[in-house]
Amino acid sequence: MRPWYFGLGRHRPLERTEYSWPPRGTGERWDIGQTMRVATLTEMLEEIVRLGEATGMEEHAHELRGELEGRLATVRAAVAGAPSPRVIALERFDPPRAAGYWIPEMISIAGGIDVAGDPGLDPPEVGWGELESLGAEVVIAMPDGSLPDARAQAMEHWERIAALGAARAFAVDADAAFTDAGPRLVDGVELLCHLLHPELIDPPGNAGFEALRAPVTRQ
């Protein structure tokens, strides 16, 4: 049975079994990102500490959380006072599905306003007409998969994306920094900040992205 997200009738995104590994005292490094069961970025940071305490790696967990919170603070400071563009993040195109769970919170920290998704909740299915009415300034294609996958899917639906009226559109490597809960979500926040405010922060080196443009038609 899938765990429910608070009492709102929406499912949490992951269904991973929790476990205590490595055993206490083994000294093996623990991949925190493989045991997450969260629905928001804030919960991810809390879960790092909880899992660290459960596996005898409290010190490592607290250090990791501190490092991640420091990077998020850097992003928040960079965008303080900057305009907040209206953003639509799409994780599916046919039918369209806006990104939910931690993505809206990530967009907010990165200095944008997610006009289609709800923090912590199931990604909503919406119609293209509804999306067109939201006044997006930036569209981000982030379907599960690699950057080439995201670009290919977005270009298959380019006319629909162009009709959203955004001045900028991007494809991103969702598997690298957006799909799974874990510390790599902070890479995703940094990447989003660069996409929304390229003059304020450099992109992380481990999360790919590509600006999308209308295909050139040959006459």
Side-chain angles (χ1 to χ4, degrees), residues 30-92:
W30 169 43
D31 188 354
I32 289 176
Q34 294 302 312
T35 61
M36 288 285 168
R37 294 177 70 182
V38 303
T40 68
L41 186 63
T42 300
E43 284 185 353
M44 182 274 289
L45 295 171
E46 295 171 350
E47 190 81 340
I48 286 174
V49 173
R50 190 192 70 77
L51 291 172
E53 292 172 348
T55 56
M57 300 187 72
E58 297 94 334
E59 182 177 353
H60 170 56
H62 282 284
E63 289 178 356
L64 178 58
R65 178 172 181 172
E67 174 193 343
L68 298 174
E69 289 181 331
R71 290 167 59 189
L72 292 174
T74 298
V75 172
R76 288 188 174 99
V79 301
S84 299
R86 297 169 63 83
V87 181
I88 292 176
L90 293 171
E91 67 170 30
R92 197 173 67 195

Side-chain angles (χ1 to χ4, degrees), residues 7-28:
L8 301 176
R10 308 282 186 99
H11 284 116
R12 284 181 179 271
L14 302 180
E15 192 177 10
R16 293 178 177 166
T17 302
E18 298 179 36
Y19 57 88
S20 294
W21 180 262
R24 293 178 183 272
T26 63
E28 296 184 38

